[in-house]
Amino acid sequence: MKTLKVYIPGIKFPSISVTGNYCALSCAHCGRHYLEGMKKITRLSLVDKCFEMEKEGYFGCLLSGGMDSRLKVPLDKFKDEIRTIKEKTKLKINAHVGFIDKEDLEWLKYIDVVSLDFVGDNEVIKRVYKIDKTVNDYLKVLDILTEAGIRVAPHITIGLDFGKIHWEYKAVDILSKYPIDVLVLNVLIPTPGTEMENVKVSMEEALKVVRYAREKFNGELSIGCMRPFGKWREEFDKKAILIGVDRITNPPRKVLEWAKQSRNVEIYFECCVM
């Protein structure tokens, strides 16, 4: 019986923003909304916060934040703090990084895994992120990380193009050729106050992408933490588990109990890429 890994990160693996609620971008699907729910720290407080978290039994954290004018999450400005955390605690670090370059390898070597949002279509990048980047720029980041032996877990957000599903298949094809062991599939949440607040994503079309990824990708396939809530999530999660995903984040309790009837279930209190 294939084991299903269930991840519940919020309890012992918090998301931390190093930029507060600031982001230089105002993306169509986010509009800085998701920064609001993260813990906020400064350079002076990050190490103390992590020492405190280890004493309280936390397993690690996601270091994230908004992008700056360089289109990076400015974790390079925290490189000394990150090194101290890894040298003096047992905490694991997952990181959102943005468009890093080779100079960032100096501190990236202390990160356990990089979570990289990946978009496989130039026009979607322009429409949603409103930045002057292409698919090749994403591939440069992937090349830098994988060639340096840094573990990277790409994330595809199904329906990111204002609910339309098309580019996701090409993204799966591209990423399947890379030396990655976990591929994360998210689904767009129509978030109030954003340009996409009234967008609807077809569950059946989203599941077709999950099915395609399962056929194409040889590593572990994960359903990430971003997808609609309520009945939508309940039905989607069940069908994704039947398709054969290896990992799933924050499934409804009903789905968890249902999954135990047909799969061995292991529960982890950390990010699904760990």
Side-chain angles (χ1 to χ4, degrees):
M1 199 186 305
K2 191 176 181 183
T3 297
L4 177 68
K5 298 175 182 176
V6 172
Y7 290 81
I8 306 170
I11 300 170
K12 295 289 184 181
F13 209 97
S15 299
I16 293 174
S17 171
V18 300
T19 64
N21 290 332
Y22 172 79
C23 181
L25 308 184
S26 185
C27 300
H29 67 306
C30 172
R32 308 185 186 98
H33 170 85
Y34 291 97
L35 292 170
E36 293 172 11
M38 296 183 184
K39 292 182 183 294
K40 311 299 190 295
I41 55 87
T42 64
R43 279 187 59 196
L44 292 174
S45 66
L46 178 59
V47 172
D48 287 342
K49 181 65 180 173
C50 286
F51 284 169
E52 181 185 311
M53 283 175 13
E54 185 175 49
K55 283 180 185 174
E56 292 176 0
Y58 286 73
F59 300 129
C61 62
L62 167 66
L63 287 184
S64 185
M67 287 201 187
D68 61 17
S69 59
R70 305 170 300 167
L71 299 184
K72 294 182 180 183
V73 178
L75 292 175
D76 54 330
K77 296 177 181 177
F78 292 76
K79 60 187 178 184
D80 293 335
E81 288 77 14
I82 290 169
R83 186 184 70 241
T84 298
I85 291 162
K86 291 305 295 180
E87 288 176 350
K88 298 193 175 179
T89 79
K90 294 179 180 177
L91 296 177
K92 300 175 187 176
I93 297 178
N94 177 18
H96 286 150
V97 297
F99 294 93
I100 52 96
D101 50 50
K102 288 188 177 179
E103 291 178 4
D104 291 298
L105 292 173
E106 177 190 354
W107 61 268
L108 279 164
K109 63 187 177 184
Y110 297 107
I111 301 295
D112 293 279
V113 59
V114 170
S115 288
L116 180 71
D117 288 326
F118 184 83
V119 185
D121 184 281
N122 292 342
E123 292 305 312
V124 175
I125 294 167
K126 287 177 187 171
R127 270 196 294 276
V128 177
Y129 293 103
K130 305 166 189 174
I131 56 175
D132 187 22
K133 293 289 183 181
T134 66
V135 175
N136 282 337
D137 291 305
Y138 284 87
L139 295 179
K140 283 177 190 172
V141 174
L142 266 175
D143 289 338
I144 289 169
L145 293 168
T146 54
E147 287 169 12
I150 292 166
R151 193 164 165 261
V152 55
H155 289 47
I156 295 171
T157 300
I158 300 169
L160 184 67
D161 188 15
F162 290 81
K164 295 189 291 291
I165 295 173
H166 57 100
W167 64 272
E168 293 86 345
Y169 296 98
K170 179 185 173 186
V172 170
D173 289 341
I174 293 169
L175 295 171
S176 295
K177 296 171 185 173
Y178 273 82
I180 56 178
D181 59 353
V182 176
L183 174 61
V184 180
L185 300 180
N186 286 318
V187 183
L188 178 81
I189 297 175
T191 304
T194 69
E195 293 176 46
M196 297 196 199
E197 64 181 337
N198 296 314
V199 165
K200 288 187 172 69
V201 179
S202 163
M203 183 185 299
E204 289 311 312
E205 291 299 310
L207 287 165
K208 283 181 185 176
V209 177
V210 177
R211 197 170 287 110
Y212 185 80
R214 181 66 293 167
E215 292 168 2
K216 284 278 185 175
F217 183 65
N218 292 324
E220 293 198 15
L221 192 62
S222 181
I223 300 299
C225 50
M226 183 180 182
R227 60 197 187 285
F229 297 96
K231 286 287 184 185
W232 199 102
R233 178 175 291 213
E234 193 174 315
E235 187 178 340
F236 176 85
D237 286 7
K238 281 187 176 182
K239 290 181 176 177
I241 290 167
L242 289 172
I243 287 168
V245 298
D246 304 282
R247 305 176 178 210
I248 192 163
T249 314
N250 292 331
R253 185 174 292 278
K254 279 185 186 175
V255 174
L256 182 55
E257 295 309 315
W258 168 85
K260 288 177 180 176
Q261 296 172 24
S262 59
R263 301 268 295 264
N264 292 319
V265 172
E266 294 176 355
I267 297 177
Y268 299 86
F269 294 98
E270 52 193 18
C271 286
C272 75
V273 298
M274 304 311 295

